[in-house]
């Protein structure tokens, strides 16, 4: 049974920082591209970041680039370091696993469809 469990969300003031973690089990972690998505109230879920199997190729969405850093370890964890948080970052953040891709490759943005999802962790940024 595949499980992705996010943690680290919370309430923070504008300009603050948070670190999200995603614990993965039930699949071969090293086989999967990992990603973070978010969904704000009343909006569609949107892409935040994705990291290749090697950890060397990382893609960020424009709103978070330069403020967020995604990483992964060799075993089963993915992370999202978030700095200079803004009220516009308020959302439920979801960890996503898959698909399989080349070691340093990421799927094209237009064709990035994760296979597995976590249940999400709430991030609230006050002004």
């Amino acid at each position: 049974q595949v499980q992705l469990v996010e943690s680290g969300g919370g309430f923070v003031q504008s300009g603050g920082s948070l670190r999200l973690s995603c614990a993965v089990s039930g699949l071969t972690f090293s086989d999967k591209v990992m990603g973070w998505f978010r969904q704000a109230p009343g909006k569609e879920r949107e892409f935040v970041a994705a990291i290749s199997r090697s950890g060397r190729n990382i893609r960020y969405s424009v709103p978070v680039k330069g403020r967020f850093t995604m990483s992964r370890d060799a075993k089963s964890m993915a992370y999202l370091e978030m700095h200079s948080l803004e009220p516009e970052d308020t959302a439920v953040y979801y960890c996503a696993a898959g698909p399989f891709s080349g070691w340093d490759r990421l799927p094209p943005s237009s064709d990035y469809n994760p296979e597995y999802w976590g249940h999400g962790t709430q991030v609230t940024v006050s002004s």
Side-chain angles (χ1 to χ4, degrees):
Q1 181 183 358
V2 176
Q3 284 191 313
L4 283 70
V5 180
E6 302 95 337
S7 61
F11 185 92
V12 64
Q13 290 191 331
S14 182
S17 299
L18 284 174
R19 186 193 196 211
L20 304 184
S21 299
C22 174
V24 181
S25 61
L27 54 76
T28 304
F29 182 70
S30 60
D31 278 354
K32 303 295 186 184
V33 169
M34 294 298 300
W36 287 96
F37 291 72
R38 67 185 183 185
Q39 187 167 17
K43 295 188 176 181
E44 292 188 354
R45 186 158 54 188
E46 66 173 3
F47 168 78
V48 174
I51 190 168
S52 64
R53 294 166 59 210
S54 68
R56 291 193 290 259
N57 190 0
I58 309 170
R59 180 187 299 145
Y60 298 98
S61 65
V62 170
V64 310
K65 195 168 187 178
R67 300 187 298 122
F68 291 12
T69 301
M70 185 173 183
S71 61
R72 64 188 295 167
D73 69 13
K75 287 191 174 181
S76 62
M77 297 292 297
Y79 304 97
L80 188 67
E81 293 264 3
M82 306 185 295
H83 299 285
S84 302
L85 283 162
E86 305 163 352
E88 292 73 22
D89 296 315
T90 294
V92 177
Y93 283 72
Y94 297 90
C95 178
F100 176 88
S101 188
W103 185 238
D104 282 320
R105 298 182 65 85
L106 289 170
S109 298
S110 59
D111 194 29
Y112 176 35
N113 296 299
E115 299 168 282
Y116 305 100
W117 296 86
H119 292 294
T121 185
Q122 176 71 46
V123 171
T124 303
V125 185
S126 67
S127 57

